[in-house]
Amino acid sequence: MSAFKHTLAARDEHIRTLHIALVALFLLASGMGFGWYSAPRQLTVYLPPDLRAASQRPWWEVPPATVYAFAFTVFQQINRWPTSGETDYPHNLNALRSYLTPGCYSQMEQTFRQRQQNGELRDRVRGVYEIPGRGFSDKQVQILDRDNWVVTLDLTVDEYFHSEPVKRAMIRYPVKVLRYDIDQQKNPWGLALDCFASPPQRLEAATS
């Protein structure tokens, strides 16, 4: 009789062990399923045309050339007013809002309102472009840390009122850039402008 009871107890103990193992497997499978579901479907990898590091580049590292290209492209598009700054400037800000931090967007919007009140935008045509010989170089991009940079843009600014030139200046813009990978569909760069690290400077004397 005792042997029979012992066999039943061993069977019950084995069943309890199997139940515990099943619960553990269920929890493990649930955790793996959640991790798989929450994993990003797209991963941005920056691959510049530079073979010095071969293929041993960390996937999270953003090359300085990419940071510079992003800063220049977005800044140039914001300041491109082919018809009138009164309509083109706010249109550009809204179209490129995903490439600006909220604070920078608010700052640029405030600048637009001030210039509009001062009558500096109506029928004003504007464009910016690189000063020849002052394009990308390693010294143009200051690496603050893995996610923050300061990009120095040396640009020529041209403004016209109707067909009359009203401004031509060479200006240095120290632009802050940070990692901003929050919406791959609207911002595939995974970067954002955070306005200026310091006030822009005119470059006429340095150029001459």
Side-chain angles (χ1 to χ4, degrees):
M1 187 67 179
S2 59
F4 179 72
K5 289 183 177 180
H6 179 73
T7 302
L8 292 178
R11 185 202 61 181
D12 294 340
E13 184 67 24
H14 183 62
I15 291 174
R16 282 194 295 269
T17 302
L18 291 176
H19 286 168
I20 294 173
L22 287 175
V23 172
L25 288 174
F26 175 78
L27 294 176
L28 179 62
S30 298
M32 294 177 63
F34 176 77
W36 192 1
Y37 176 78
S38 59
R41 290 178 171 81
Q42 293 182 345
L43 184 64
T44 301
V45 179
Y46 301 92
L47 297 174
D50 186 351
L51 300 179
R52 289 178 299 177
S55 60
Q56 300 178 7
R57 181 180 298 275
W59 69 264
W60 61 82
E61 180 180 327
V62 185
T66 300
V67 177
Y68 181 90
F70 168 80
F72 173 69
T73 300
V74 175
F75 191 82
Q76 185 182 53
Q77 291 302 308
I78 290 175
N79 290 278
R80 174 61 177 137
W81 310 340
T83 305
S84 172
E86 194 171 39
T87 56
D88 294 332
Y89 193 12
H91 174 269
N92 294 344
L93 288 180
N94 288 326
L96 299 170
R97 186 168 186 170
S98 297
Y99 300 96
L100 305 172
T101 62
C104 187
Y105 176 82
S106 298
Q107 183 176 338
M108 289 190 174
E109 191 176 38
Q110 183 178 4
T111 300
F112 161 71
R113 292 174 181 174
Q114 291 176 349
R115 296 193 64 175
Q116 186 182 39
Q117 291 175 357
N118 296 334
E120 301 177 5
L121 296 177
R122 179 171 295 179
D123 297 324
R124 187 72 65 96
V125 176
R126 190 186 208 200
V128 300
Y129 50 91
E130 287 181 332
I131 299 174
R134 293 187 179 228
F136 168 73
S137 66
D138 289 337
K139 66 180 181 180
Q140 300 295 106
V141 180
Q142 180 185 0
I143 302 175
L144 303 180
D145 54 44
R146 192 184 75 173
D147 300 327
N148 294 273
W149 305 264
V150 175
V151 178
T152 300
L153 299 176
D154 291 342
L155 305 177
T156 299
V157 180
D158 282 345
E159 290 190 7
Y160 295 84
F161 181 75
H162 294 294
S163 60
E164 296 295 325
V166 295
K167 179 180 180 181
R168 167 164 285 189
M170 287 173 282
I171 303 178
R172 171 168 291 173
Y173 295 97
V175 181
K176 291 191 293 183
V177 180
L178 54 82
R179 192 184 298 269
Y180 200 65
D181 194 9
I182 62 174
D183 193 334
Q184 284 285 334
Q185 291 186 347
K186 294 183 179 180
N187 183 351
W189 288 82
L191 304 170
L193 296 188
D194 196 26
C195 286
F196 301 124
S198 58
Q201 300 176 353
R202 298 177 73 92
L203 292 175
E204 283 86 352
T207 302
S208 61

Short mmCIF file of all heavy atoms in Angstrom, two decimals, residues 145-170:
data_model
loop_
_atom_site.label_atom_id
_atom_site.label_comp_id
_atom_site.label_asym_id
_atom_site.label_seq_id
_atom_site.Cartn_x
_atom_site.Cartn_y
_atom_site.Cartn_z
N ASP A 145 29.03 64.92 -28.05
CA ASP A 145 28.94 63.56 -27.54
C ASP A 145 28.29 62.71 -28.63
O ASP A 145 28.18 63.15 -29.77
CB ASP A 145 28.17 63.48 -26.21
CG ASP A 145 26.77 64.11 -26.29
OD1 ASP A 145 26.06 63.86 -27.28
OD2 ASP A 145 26.39 64.84 -25.36
N ARG A 146 27.86 61.52 -28.27
CA ARG A 146 27.34 60.60 -29.29
C ARG A 146 26.09 61.15 -29.97
O ARG A 146 25.81 60.81 -31.12
CB ARG A 146 27.01 59.25 -28.64
CG ARG A 146 26.74 58.14 -29.62
CD ARG A 146 26.32 56.86 -28.93
NE ARG A 146 24.95 56.94 -28.44
CZ ARG A 146 24.28 55.91 -27.91
NH1 ARG A 146 24.87 54.74 -27.79
NH2 ARG A 146 23.03 56.06 -27.49
N ASP A 147 25.33 62.00 -29.29
CA ASP A 147 24.03 62.44 -29.80
C ASP A 147 23.94 63.94 -30.04
O ASP A 147 22.85 64.44 -30.34
CB ASP A 147 22.92 62.03 -28.82
CG ASP A 147 22.85 60.53 -28.60
OD1 ASP A 147 23.14 59.80 -29.55
OD2 ASP A 147 22.51 60.10 -27.48
N ASN A 148 25.02 64.69 -29.92
CA ASN A 148 24.97 66.15 -30.05
C ASN A 148 26.19 66.66 -30.81
O ASN A 148 27.32 66.21 -30.56
CB ASN A 148 24.91 66.82 -28.68
CG ASN A 148 23.62 66.51 -27.94
OD1 ASN A 148 22.61 67.19 -28.10
ND2 ASN A 148 23.64 65.47 -27.11
N TRP A 149 25.93 67.62 -31.71
CA TRP A 149 26.99 68.21 -32.53
C TRP A 149 26.73 69.71 -32.69
O TRP A 149 25.61 70.19 -32.52
CB TRP A 149 27.02 67.58 -33.91
CG TRP A 149 27.15 66.10 -33.95
CD1 TRP A 149 28.29 65.37 -34.11
CD2 TRP A 149 26.09 65.13 -33.84
NE1 TRP A 149 28.01 64.03 -34.10
CE2 TRP A 149 26.67 63.84 -33.93
CE3 TRP A 149 24.71 65.22 -33.66
CZ2 TRP A 149 25.93 62.68 -33.86
CZ3 TRP A 149 23.96 64.06 -33.58
CH2 TRP A 149 24.57 62.80 -33.68
N VAL A 150 27.79 70.44 -33.03
CA VAL A 150 27.67 71.83 -33.47
C VAL A 150 28.30 71.92 -34.85
O VAL A 150 29.49 71.62 -35.02
CB VAL A 150 28.37 72.80 -32.49
CG1 VAL A 150 28.33 74.22 -33.07
CG2 VAL A 150 27.69 72.78 -31.13
N VAL A 151 27.50 72.31 -35.83
CA VAL A 151 27.94 72.39 -37.22
C VAL A 151 28.15 73.85 -37.59
O VAL A 151 27.26 74.68 -37.39
CB VAL A 151 26.91 71.74 -38.17
CG1 VAL A 151 27.37 71.88 -39.62
CG2 VAL A 151 26.70 70.29 -37.81
N THR A 152 29.31 74.17 -38.10
CA THR A 152 29.62 75.53 -38.55
C THR A 152 29.32 75.64 -40.03
O THR A 152 29.97 74.98 -40.86
CB THR A 152 31.09 75.88 -38.27
OG1 THR A 152 31.33 75.77 -36.86
CG2 THR A 152 31.39 77.29 -38.73
N LEU A 153 28.35 76.47 -40.38
CA LEU A 153 27.97 76.70 -41.78
C LEU A 153 28.43 78.10 -42.19
O LEU A 153 27.95 79.10 -41.65
CB LEU A 153 26.45 76.58 -41.95
CG LEU A 153 25.81 75.23 -41.61
CD1 LEU A 153 24.30 75.32 -41.73
CD2 LEU A 153 26.35 74.13 -42.50
N ASP A 154 29.36 78.17 -43.12
CA ASP A 154 29.80 79.45 -43.69
C ASP A 154 29.04 79.66 -45.00
O ASP A 154 29.33 79.00 -46.01
CB ASP A 154 31.30 79.43 -43.93
CG ASP A 154 32.09 79.43 -42.63
OD1 ASP A 154 31.51 79.78 -41.58
OD2 ASP A 154 33.30 79.09 -42.65
N LEU A 155 28.08 80.59 -44.97
CA LEU A 155 27.14 80.72 -46.08
C LEU A 155 27.07 82.15 -46.58
O LEU A 155 27.32 83.11 -45.84
CB LEU A 155 25.74 80.29 -45.63
CG LEU A 155 25.61 78.89 -45.01
CD1 LEU A 155 24.18 78.65 -44.56
CD2 LEU A 155 26.05 77.82 -45.99
N THR A 156 26.72 82.27 -47.85
CA THR A 156 26.38 83.56 -48.43
C THR A 156 24.86 83.70 -48.43
O THR A 156 24.15 82.79 -48.86
CB THR A 156 26.91 83.67 -49.87
OG1 THR A 156 28.33 83.56 -49.86
CG2 THR A 156 26.52 85.01 -50.49
N VAL A 157 24.38 84.83 -47.95
CA VAL A 157 22.94 85.10 -47.88
C VAL A 157 22.60 86.18 -48.89
O VAL A 157 23.16 87.29 -48.83
CB VAL A 157 22.53 85.55 -46.46
CG1 VAL A 157 21.03 85.82 -46.41
CG2 VAL A 157 22.93 84.48 -45.44
N ASP A 158 21.71 85.87 -49.83
CA ASP A 158 21.24 86.83 -50.83
C ASP A 158 19.77 87.10 -50.60
O ASP A 158 18.98 86.17 -50.47
CB ASP A 158 21.45 86.28 -52.25
CG ASP A 158 22.89 86.41 -52.71
OD1 ASP A 158 23.65 87.16 -52.07
OD2 ASP A 158 23.25 85.75 -53.70
N GLU A 159 19.40 88.41 -50.58
CA GLU A 159 18.00 88.78 -50.46
C GLU A 159 17.69 89.84 -51.51
O GLU A 159 18.50 90.74 -51.77
CB GLU A 159 17.68 89.31 -49.06
CG GLU A 159 17.70 88.24 -47.98
CD GLU A 159 17.14 88.74 -46.65
OE1 GLU A 159 16.63 89.88 -46.61
OE2 GLU A 159 17.23 87.99 -45.66
N TYR A 160 16.48 89.72 -52.07
CA TYR A 160 16.01 90.66 -53.09
C TYR A 160 14.62 91.14 -52.71
O TYR A 160 13.81 90.37 -52.18
CB TYR A 160 15.96 90.00 -54.47
CG TYR A 160 17.31 89.59 -55.02
CD1 TYR A 160 17.90 88.39 -54.65
CD2 TYR A 160 17.98 90.42 -55.92
CE1 TYR A 160 19.13 88.02 -55.15
CE2 TYR A 160 19.22 90.04 -56.43
CZ TYR A 160 19.78 88.85 -56.04
OH TYR A 160 21.00 88.47 -56.53
N PHE A 161 14.36 92.41 -53.00
CA PHE A 161 13.00 92.95 -52.91
C PHE A 161 12.52 93.17 -54.32
O PHE A 161 13.00 94.05 -55.03
CB PHE A 161 12.99 94.25 -52.11
CG PHE A 161 11.62 94.84 -51.96
CD1 PHE A 161 10.70 94.30 -51.07
CD2 PHE A 161 11.23 95.93 -52.72
CE1 PHE A 161 9.43 94.84 -50.94
CE2 PHE A 161 9.97 96.48 -52.60
CZ PHE A 161 9.07 95.94 -51.70
N HIS A 162 11.57 92.31 -54.75
CA HIS A 162 11.22 92.22 -56.16
C HIS A 162 12.49 91.82 -56.92
O HIS A 162 13.02 90.76 -56.73
CB HIS A 162 10.60 93.52 -56.66
CG HIS A 162 9.27 93.81 -56.03
ND1 HIS A 162 8.16 93.03 -56.23
CD2 HIS A 162 8.89 94.80 -55.16
CE1 HIS A 162 7.13 93.52 -55.54
NE2 HIS A 162 7.56 94.58 -54.87
N SER A 163 13.00 92.68 -57.77
CA SER A 163 14.22 92.33 -58.52
C SER A 163 15.44 93.11 -58.04
O SER A 163 16.52 92.97 -58.61
CB SER A 163 14.00 92.60 -60.02
OG SER A 163 13.70 93.98 -60.24
N GLU A 164 15.27 93.90 -56.98
CA GLU A 164 16.37 94.72 -56.49
C GLU A 164 17.11 94.01 -55.37
O GLU A 164 16.50 93.58 -54.38
CB GLU A 164 15.83 96.07 -55.98
CG GLU A 164 15.21 96.94 -57.05
CD GLU A 164 16.22 97.38 -58.10
OE1 GLU A 164 17.39 97.61 -57.72
OE2 GLU A 164 15.84 97.47 -59.27
N PRO A 165 18.43 93.85 -55.46
CA PRO A 165 19.19 93.25 -54.37
C PRO A 165 19.21 94.17 -53.16
O PRO A 165 19.49 95.36 -53.28
CB PRO A 165 20.59 93.06 -54.96
CG PRO A 165 20.68 94.05 -56.07
CD PRO A 165 19.29 94.21 -56.61
N VAL A 166 18.90 93.64 -52.00
CA VAL A 166 18.87 94.43 -50.77
C VAL A 166 19.87 93.90 -49.73
O VAL A 166 20.17 94.59 -48.76
CB VAL A 166 17.45 94.45 -50.14
CG1 VAL A 166 16.48 95.17 -51.06
CG2 VAL A 166 16.97 93.03 -49.85
N LYS A 167 20.40 92.70 -49.95
CA LYS A 167 21.33 92.16 -48.96
C LYS A 167 22.18 91.08 -49.60
O LYS A 167 21.68 90.22 -50.30
CB LYS A 167 20.56 91.56 -47.77
CG LYS A 167 21.46 90.96 -46.69
CD LYS A 167 20.62 90.39 -45.55
CE LYS A 167 21.49 89.79 -44.47
NZ LYS A 167 20.67 89.21 -43.35
N ARG A 168 23.47 91.16 -49.35
CA ARG A 168 24.39 90.08 -49.67
C ARG A 168 25.45 90.08 -48.57
O ARG A 168 26.19 91.05 -48.42
CB ARG A 168 25.04 90.24 -51.03
CG ARG A 168 26.23 89.28 -51.21
CD ARG A 168 26.65 89.13 -52.65
NE ARG A 168 25.72 88.30 -53.40
CZ ARG A 168 25.94 87.86 -54.64
NH1 ARG A 168 27.04 88.20 -55.28
NH2 ARG A 168 25.05 87.11 -55.24
N ALA A 169 25.47 89.01 -47.81
CA ALA A 169 26.39 88.94 -46.68
C ALA A 169 26.91 87.52 -46.55
O ALA A 169 26.22 86.55 -46.87
CB ALA A 169 25.68 89.36 -45.39
N MET A 170 28.14 87.41 -46.07
CA MET A 170 28.73 86.12 -45.75
C MET A 170 28.70 85.95 -44.24
O MET A 170 29.25 86.77 -43.50
CB MET A 170 30.15 86.03 -46.30
CG MET A 170 30.19 85.89 -47.81
SD MET A 170 31.85 85.98 -48.53
CE MET A 170 32.12 87.74 -48.49
#
